[in-house]
Amino acid sequence: MGAASGNVVTPQPTGSALLQPISQLLHTPLDQVNFVACQLVALLIAFWFRIYLNPSNAHPAVRHAFATFVGVYFAVFCFGWYSLHIFTLVLLCYCIMITASVTNIHRYSFIMAMGYLTLCQINRVYIFNYGILSTDFSGPLMIITQKITTLAFQLHDGLGRSFKSLTKDQQQYSIKKKPSFLEYLSYHLNFMSVLAGPCSNFQDYIAFIEGRHIQSKLLNSKANGYTKLPNPSPNEVVLYKLCVAAACLVVFLTFTKAFPILYVVDETFINKTPFSIRLGYLYFATQVCKPKYYFAWTLADAVNNAAGYGFNGVDEKGKFRWDLISNLNIWNIETATSFKMYIDNWNIQTAAWLKRVCYDRAPKYRTGLTFMLSGVWHGAYPGYYFTFVTAIPVMLAARAMRNNFRHFFITSTSWKFLYDTLTWIATQLAICYTVAPFVLLAAGPSIQLYKSLYFYLHVVCFLALIVLPTKPSGRAFSKGLEINHSEEKQNSADNTKNHLS
């Protein structure tokens, strides 16, 4: 759907045509076939990489070089000459890293990476009209942007700031030495994450390449009481994640055509269908869009795990965790009882990136600035900005309602169950309302959808923010705080337990 006109445009893929017969056989766009094929080949290479190029057999330089070479090949295979944008941005930001002062390295890198990404997205959408509903080079460029800025900020923390001025997270991941050219290329272009991510911390990646990744996590686990732990194998978790990815792909292919999202702005549908039915259809139409993201992110996670990357110690039951760089928690997404819980478990590594480069560093207006950065990073479609601007009052209103009412419903199990049920329904409806423009892309359909729904969620949220105090007063607030703190700890433990592991 064009951002301005709403017309569907089918771009011509620029990658390899080797798999064109398979594309025609499956009636699937060639760029999508190339992407999935490269990820499946990457999965096989990852197993080989872990077994035959493990740190005990191969020098780190060899592992870096191999991972980079294969990653570059995948980028060229999928995107052809458009892959030059990816390589150009990496080289430009490497020049910034080695020439800029430590006091400005994060600023220059951020401006260069976000500026280059934004220009590419504007050209792609409004000038060349390329890649509108397609797997294209802007996806990897978005991941590269995250990595470039993450590394730059962590270098600034390690070399340009005092240790005491850093937060605990910044202290843990601050970098004291600029990476070599090969390390820089490998971190950004390795075959495990060049196509679909996720972004990870530079220190974690280098520890993985050098063979310190798993042992450091095991030492931390042994310090917590686990003294006899075998060397973890990712085979079981990789198989599990592949099954999840396959199931998500089947669900997406089965139901996406049954609930086309454009039907929500069909004039006949709007004029002749009751509000409740339209709202229900919107819920199902947005639900069936999610499995494609589940598929891509889970498969990418499996590729990293197959290479031995992503180990995160053991949980409280002594079970190995492989969720260090997982991008989603499907169970927590589908059972979320708050807007924050939903977005905290969706695109986890992007949320972590936004927190590290924006939320933790913004002097004020943190929530608004973080959502706006997320919108700019995602691209130039107006629908993205409708979604992220809408998300700001929704998040604030949800927080206000939780602070003012939740403590009344936690006096018994039955009341707590009722509260969880109601907040689950409210969260799901709020999510589908908020993210619909993200899928519709264009401004016209987005406004048309919100008009057909009478802007009901906008009205409810603004009324809540006007009427409700930001914090309830008195003993009720103190009691609510105590319960919220204890439940946050429990939810954190539950998140760890329920993560794809």
Side-chain angles (χ1 to χ4, degrees), residues 79-138:
F79 311 117
W81 71 269
Y82 276 104
S83 61
L84 290 175
H85 287 295
I86 300 171
F87 309 144
T88 299
L89 180 57
V90 170
L91 294 175
L92 286 174
C93 288
Y94 177 76
C95 293
I96 291 175
M97 186 196 70
I98 61 176
T99 58
S101 66
V102 293
T103 55
N104 291 314
I105 188 173
H106 59 306
R107 296 189 182 96
Y108 297 158
S109 297
F110 183 86
I111 292 171
M112 173 59 73
M114 287 299 302
Y116 195 99
L117 173 65
T118 301
L119 287 175
C120 285
Q121 289 170 329
I122 290 174
N123 284 332
R124 184 176 63 87
V125 175
Y126 294 102
I127 298 178
F128 297 108
N129 214 14
Y130 171 80
I132 298 221
L133 293 175
S134 175
T135 303
D136 70 286
F137 76 97
S138 67

Side-chain angles (χ1 to χ4, degrees), residues 362-377:
K364 54 184 178 179
Y365 309 122
R366 291 182 170 186
T367 299
L369 288 173
T370 302
F371 275 119
M372 291 309 299
L373 174 59
S374 183
V376 173
W377 174 78

Side-chain angles (χ1 to χ4, degrees), residues 306-329:
Y309 189 29
F311 182 69
N312 200 22
V314 299
D315 61 19
E316 66 278 5
K317 294 183 179 180
K319 185 179 179 181
F320 292 131
R321 294 170 54 196
W322 286 87
D323 59 358
L324 179 68
I325 54 174
S326 293
N327 229 346
L328 78 164
N329 186 320

Side-chain angles (χ1 to χ4, degrees), residues 20 33 56 62-63 69 85 96 121 147 195 207 214 216 332 395 447 463-464 476 481 486:
Q20 185 70 52
V33 172
S56 61
V62 176
R63 285 166 58 83
F69 176 80
H85 287 295
I96 291 175
Q121 289 170 329
K147 290 183 178 182
L195 296 182
I214 289 179
S216 63
N332 283 357
M395 174 75 82
I447 296 174
L463 286 176
L481 273 182
S486 63

Side-chain angles (χ1 to χ4, degrees), residues 12 183 216 232 428 497:
Q12 294 298 318
E183 289 173 334
S216 63
Q428 298 300 316
K497 187 187 305 179

